Amino acid sequence: MFFSFTTRQHLFDTLDTEVYDLLIIGGGITGVGIALDAASRGLKTVLVEKNDFAYGTSSRSTKLIHGGLRYLKQFEFALVKEVGSERAIVHNIAPHLVLAEKMLLPLSEGRGLGVFLTSFGLKLYDWLAGVKLADQRRMLTRKKTLRTEPLLRKEGIKGGGLYAEYRTDDARLTIELAKTAHAHGAQLLSYVRVTDFVYESEKVVGARVEDVLLNKKKVVRAKAIVNATGPWVDELREIDKSKKGKTLHLTKGVHIVVPHRKFPISQAIYFDVPDGRMIFAIPRGKTTYIGTTDTDYTEAIDDVGVTAADAQYLLDAVKETFPSIQLSISDIESSWAGLRPLIHEEGKSASELSRKDEIFESPSGLFSIAGGKLTGYRKMAERVVTMVSKKHFNDRKLKPCFTHKIKVAGGEFRNAKDVRKYILTVRKRVETWRLDEYFVKYLVHTYGKQSDFILEEVEKRLKNGVEIEAALVGAELTFGVENEMVLTPLDFIHRRTSMLLFDISRLHRVKKIILNEFKKQFQWTDQHVEEESRKMAEEISRVNQFK
Ligand code: FAD
């Protein structure tokens, strides 16, 4: 089913012709998760996102589907149990995109909880999350720890723990869920912003929206409205005049990306830093990424960036734990910064704030959801839809939530073994193209079963004499434009392919081809191409130049 600019235009033009059951504001993981839950249970659902899907925090996380080991220290057992158990479900509905990743937790003299407490903590973590016996934590001796990761500083290492987590691509998980919600009948529009609400007898009954690409305006009417705008939640509550009581506390988290050959860790590591915080270093394709910081943020929400001080903090942390690694600011190929939409608690610092989600209902009837984790999106969606239904649709027999059984678009595999088999099939199919192994895995872990459509398109282009690099990127872009609501080059290079973050050298090689493809597919003028080329250049320098 097409999910493209053309379908979007028709949809926007008909937005004011009916009253929806549910209007969701925000196309991050929380919003699209609610859209899938609501539409699959039978509600007539519409979602609007002011930028691209996953433009906010949902493309700027650590990209882990994890239970949050460190929340045990804060005694958040219920949270760890819920998100920990969700990991296996999210892996099961998207096995190509949510990959098992063992995490090494080195234990050093005078840092962290010590061997006994860590061993107990990891056991508790596995138990709360119901981890299968074969995947449960293993405690390592000092010798084994250093053999597992020889780059670690040797002095002070007492041992380590090896435990199960999952790695994903947050933006792709969001877009695949958006496509899945669309396939279940939800209507989702990107680049459509809510500017105001519409009230009747002081109750909210709709929203004024504007198409920020075409500068058109409409009113959307709905029986229930959910504000799922992450860091912008309070902005919308302000428009609704209901920003009272609990408010958001935004904290910034930064990640940097360096070439894997410069920081060649053999596996994902979660290590202590001298200020008592913990940091991840995660190998990913040709790169290793490191994060995160956690600092209070009070500046513009739409312009969050990485400063030289943020980048240096992470480089110093690496230097302290991996003394043979010589990294400097100039080694950073890419980076990103995101905002955690946490709920303020008096007297608590950024790292101490709870990651629990909460739903507020305003006097006008606007529901707002804040807090939470990428990992817990499905349960949050279930809670929101159940709450909304109790209030507005008590007379209807809605289906119970069954999103744990709905495979995301491209994820139609039985399990991880099935994904590995499919990688072999793809490898065979592209044998004569002389691609490196990285690309085959990239394709399958990015698009899952949808790789078949992309390969078909590549084959067509190769037959027409197009060279392989142009054929590949052209085929990905065509797929994105027709099926993934790619509307701008930034949607494509950042949130659909992650090229901007993890394959910047490919991006430099293909950026002109990308702009030419856009020109062809959207009939852009030369002036428009120039404008987009400038935006792309700005974004590329923004991710690796720091003030
Ligand atoms: P967002 O993704 O920010 O979505 C809100 C959307 O609302 C935005 O796209 C925005 O454009 C849109 N919007 C705003 N105003 C309007 C308007 N007026 N009209 C229309 N649309 C509007 N969680 C994990 O589980 N694992 C992790 O590894 C992890 N790491 C993290 C690391 C960092 C540094 C951070 C910051 C968070 C991390 N999290 C992690 C938490 C997780 O990323 C967030 O909880 C989640 O992405 C929040 O999603 P959201 O949909 O609520 O918000």
Side-chain angles (χ1 to χ4, degrees), residues 31 78 168 230 355 381 388 396 477 503:
T168 191
R355 268 56 179 167
V388 165
R396 281 200 229 166
L477 184 53
D503 204 352

Side-chain angles (χ1 to χ4, degrees), residues 482-521:
E482 290 177 357
N483 303 286
E484 307 204 314
M485 203 62 85
V486 165
L487 303 179
T488 74
L490 292 184
D491 301 349
F492 180 67
I493 66 169
H494 184 182
R495 292 167 292 269
R496 299 303 180 281
T497 61
S498 281
M499 219 187 289
L500 177 71
L501 309 182
F502 301 116
D503 204 352
I504 204 97
S505 57
R506 179 179 183 218
L507 176 54
H508 282 297
R509 290 197 310 273
V510 298
K511 60 188 177 200
K512 282 217 174 82
I513 307 173
I514 294 173
L515 288 167
N516 276 336
E517 279 286 334
F518 266 96
K519 185 176 180 184
K520 248 192 338 210
Q521 306 228 13

Side-chain angles (χ1 to χ4, degrees), residues 260-320:
H260 184 254
R261 72 191 141 76
K262 295 236 166 179
F263 185 17
I265 40 172
S266 27
Q267 67 153 85
I269 305 190
Y270 191 31
F271 60 97
D272 292 283
V273 285
D275 65 7
R277 295 194 55 256
M278 292 195 73
I279 284 182
F280 291 102
I282 301 172
R284 187 179 190 116
K286 302 171 188 169
T287 65
T288 300
Y289 67 99
I290 305 144
T292 168
T293 59
D294 198 356
T295 49
D296 287 335
Y297 188 82
T298 49
E299 290 156 53
I301 306 177
D302 283 274
D303 188 25
V304 44
V306 178
T307 64
D310 294 327
Q312 196 56 51
Y313 172 86
L314 295 172
L315 292 175
D316 290 346
V318 171
K319 198 168 181 186
E320 221 270 331

Side-chain angles (χ1 to χ4, degrees), residues 26 28-30 49-50 57-58 61-62 64 194 229 231 340 372 374-375:
I29 194 91
T30 309
E49 160 58 52
K50 73 169 175 174
T57 309
S58 300
S61 75
T62 309
L64 291 174
V194 166
T229 55
R340 301 176 184 84
L374 187 79
T375 311

Side-chain angles (χ1 to χ4, degrees), residues 30-44:
T30 309
V32 300
I34 297 170
L36 175 59
D37 192 297
S40 61
R41 285 161 84 174
L43 294 180
K44 184 148 190 57

Side-chain angles (χ1 to χ4, degrees), residues 334-361:
S334 193
S335 65
W336 67 92
L339 296 177
R340 301 176 184 84
L342 307 176
I343 296 157
H344 182 71
E345 291 170 69
E346 216 41 63
K348 286 208 174 165
S349 72
S351 299
E352 288 166 344
L353 288 173
S354 170
R355 268 56 179 167
K356 268 199 306 257
D357 58 284
E358 266 189 58
I359 307 170
F360 315 116
E361 188 187 348

